[in-house]
């Protein structure tokens, strides 16, 4: 079965609004989670990561929330811009693995920013 | 901004032919990876490579696949006898600490 999956394939938001992209995972052994952004014709681009000993981590305009109780991960993007339009993937790996080792990716959510 | 580069960007090959996909990881990185993404599907892990040997591989990475770091800068993925189902985007990635970096991918089409 699928260990990591996304609830919504497409999310459309108005420019300037905040967006929330969700992800569910099923592997309790996962302890490292990453959000990637993939623009058309490019490879996945690292956005932000979080380890299971945290429940929130903030970056520039992005926040990742981790709820281990319900095995749920979300990516919040504040004040969306046209350049945020892309497919967003969550990915996980299990304890002891770092970097991009053995990541399990979700299917992706296509974020569309409307003017 | 450091970047991983991959060549070629596109490759078309006949079924049964060998292909070599090339990657130049970020220069001070020590861990290297290959992933693939079949059109419309998820990105899938193939293999990780560290200290000149495979450290982990998935079920997809069978005997038809091999990886090599022939010199200090290149990291290659060889598919010995391509099958139609090998058609996909192949991404190389590298890491030592902090963010992992993916290359732009090679689109492989097997006819």
């Amino acid at each position: 079965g699928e260990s990591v999956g996304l609830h919504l394939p497409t999310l459309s938001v108005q420019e300037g609004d905040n967006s929330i992209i969700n992800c569910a995972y099923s592997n309790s052994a996962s302890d490292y989670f990453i959000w990637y952004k993939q623009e058309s014709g490019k490879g996945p681009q690292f956005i932000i990561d979080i380890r299971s000993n945290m429940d929130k981590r903030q970056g520039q305009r992005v926040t990742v929330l981790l709820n281990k109780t319900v095995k749920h991960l979300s990516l919040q993007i504040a004040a969306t811009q046209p350049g945020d339009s892309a497919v967003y993937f969550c990915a996980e790996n299990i304890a002891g693995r770092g970097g991009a080792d053995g990541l399990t990716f979700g299917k992706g959510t296509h974020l569309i920013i409307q003017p | 901004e450091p970047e991983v580069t991959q060549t070629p960007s596109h490759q078309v090959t006949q079924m049964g032919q060998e292909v070599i996909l090339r990657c130049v990881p970020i220069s001070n990185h020590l861990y290297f990876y290959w992933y693939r993404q079949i059109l419309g599907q998820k990105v899938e892990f193939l293999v990780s490579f560290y200290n000149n040997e495979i450290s982990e591989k998935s079920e997809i990475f069978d005997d038809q696949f091999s990886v090599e770091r022939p010199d200090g800068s290149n990291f290659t993925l060889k598919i010995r006898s391509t099958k139609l189902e090998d058609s996909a985007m192949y991404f190389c990635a590298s890491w030592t600490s902090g963010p992992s970096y993916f290359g732009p991918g090679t689109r492989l089409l097997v006819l």
Side-chain angles (χ1 to χ4, degrees), chain B residues 30-45:
Chain B
L30 300 176
Y31 296 81
F32 313 110
Y33 315 93
W34 283 101
Y35 281 78
R36 79 172 185 190
Q37 185 177 28
I38 295 172
L39 187 64
Q41 299 188 23
K42 296 184 290 183
V43 177
E44 301 173 292
F45 170 70

Side-chain angles (χ1 to χ4, degrees), chain B residues 35-80:
Chain B
Y35 281 78
R36 79 172 185 190
Q37 185 177 28
I38 295 172
L39 187 64
Q41 299 188 23
K42 296 184 290 183
V43 177
E44 301 173 292
F45 170 70
L46 294 178
V47 65
S48 55
F49 191 86
Y50 171 72
N51 198 25
N52 283 320
E53 60 183 24
I54 291 172
S55 52
E56 194 74 39
K57 60 183 181 178
S58 71
E59 297 174 347
I60 303 168
F61 195 88
D62 61 22
D63 292 344
Q64 295 297 317
F65 291 89
S66 62
V67 290
E68 191 178 27
R69 188 153 163 83
D71 53 43
S73 61
N74 290 285
F75 178 51
T76 61
L77 174 69
K78 181 191 290 187
I79 308 175
R80 189 157 54 89

Side-chain angles (χ1 to χ4, degrees), chain A residues 86-109:
Chain A
V87 177
Y88 289 80
F89 297 95
C90 64
E92 62 174 310
N93 68 18
I94 62 173
R97 302 174 94 169
D101 189 13
L103 292 171
T104 299
F105 278 78
K107 287 184 181 176
T109 292

Side-chain angles (χ1 to χ4, degrees), chain A residues 23-74:
Chain A
C23 176
Y25 66 95
S26 59
N27 189 346
S28 300
S30 295
D31 83 333
Y32 180 54
F33 305 89
I34 309 172
W35 279 102
Y36 287 96
K37 171 186 180 183
Q38 187 176 25
E39 295 173 279
S40 181
K42 298 183 179 180
Q45 177 188 356
F46 176 97
I47 301 173
I48 192 168
D49 59 0
I50 189 168
R51 291 217 172 261
S52 60
N53 60 350
M54 302 173 70
D55 53 21
K56 181 178 180 179
R57 192 165 187 218
Q58 288 184 290
Q60 190 173 20
R61 283 200 307 117
V62 294
T63 301
V64 55
L65 299 177
L66 175 62
N67 185 330
K68 295 180 287 293
T69 303
V70 295
K71 298 189 184 72
H72 185 266
L73 191 70
S74 68

